[in-house]
Amino acid sequence: MKIWQASNGELRRVLEGHVFDVNCCRFFPSGLVVLSGGMDAQLKIWSAEDASCVVTFKGHKGGILDTAIVDRGRNVVSGSRDGTARLWDCGRSACLGVLADCGSSINGVAVGAADNSINLGAPEQMPSEREVGTEAKMLLLAREDKKLQCLGLQSRQPVFLFIGSDAFNCCTFLSGFLLLAGTQDGNIYQLDVRSPGAPVQVIHRSGAPVLSLLSFRDGFIASQGDGSCFIVQQDLDYVTELTGADCDPVYKVATWEKQIYTCCRDGLVRRYQLSDL
């Protein structure tokens, strides 16, 4: 992994230690620490200041495909090809539990604060005192077996299970009850956790896999396997295309203030500067 100075593209740090592909990485809220997951089934925490690996979590039996950070980052969640989602204690580098074991690859995970009207259920056992910030949170799992699963993060109790048109690749929360999930055949499902039986809407712009979804202002950003990347605002009335990737898949989108970053199979990280839309 490489840490770049965003303003000028200068390489600041190289984080080395994973074997095989690194599938996902993100900063902790502090901006000084990085969480990464790889095909070596390891989850690692790094110092962005000196590039050292401070913690390695082991326990997954397959590659880690996505992660989520709970609150300020005392706990993190990982989703893996082994079909499990796990909760980890960063301070003790220990697994606090298997949140879900669904027998199908977990391609994407998201954690969000739940609206008061949503019943998350009660935990069967008292949560460990090492669990910090898991109460009143939902965990969303985008699964390879065409299922989108939502459960209470602390309770581990099911909230809903939605069956889509194809494998789910990614998911994100828009609010305390609205969420998005993208499939391999190009559908973006918007669901309301309070009535998840039927989607609020299904957005389909092309048949290419939806690879990344990110809440943004009053809408969202999506990227697909055909190189398309777009911002949707005000319920599809206003769509902004982010061009440049040609036909190579855009794997991931990230934002910082008015800037959007994309990473593409062509080996480039692109930065878009937004005017006041």
Side-chain angles (χ1 to χ4, degrees), residues 183-251:
T183 61
Q184 186 68 16
D185 60 357
N187 285 326
I188 299 172
Y189 289 89
Q190 185 179 357
L191 296 176
D192 187 325
V193 180
R194 300 166 302 183
S195 55
V200 178
Q201 62 175 343
V202 182
I203 299 163
H204 185 93
R205 299 195 74 211
S206 82
V210 181
L211 300 179
S212 180
L213 288 166
L214 183 64
S215 175
F216 183 69
R217 296 183 182 176
D218 58 353
F220 65 90
I221 308 174
S223 74
Q224 293 188 261
D226 57 2
S228 65
C229 187
F230 51 93
I231 310 168
V232 175
Q233 289 179 286
Q234 291 116 26
D235 293 335
L236 273 182
D237 292 342
Y238 193 79
V239 177
T240 309
E241 298 278 353
L242 301 177
T243 62
D246 204 19
C247 297
D248 278 307
V250 177
Y251 294 127

Side-chain angles (χ1 to χ4, degrees), residues 108-110 138-142 148-150 160 171-173 179-180:
V109 301
M138 299 177 283
L139 174 65
L140 195 57
L141 306 176
L148 184 69
Q149 179 179 357
C150 183
F160 74 79
C171 54
T172 192
F173 286 101
L179 60 92
L180 292 175

Side-chain angles (χ1 to χ4, degrees), residues 83-86 97-102 106 139 141 143 149 151 156:
T84 67
R86 291 172 183 256
V98 175
L99 301 170
D101 186 351
C102 50
I106 297 174
L139 174 65
L141 306 176
R143 294 168 32 171
Q149 179 179 357
L151 56 152
R156 326 283 206 256

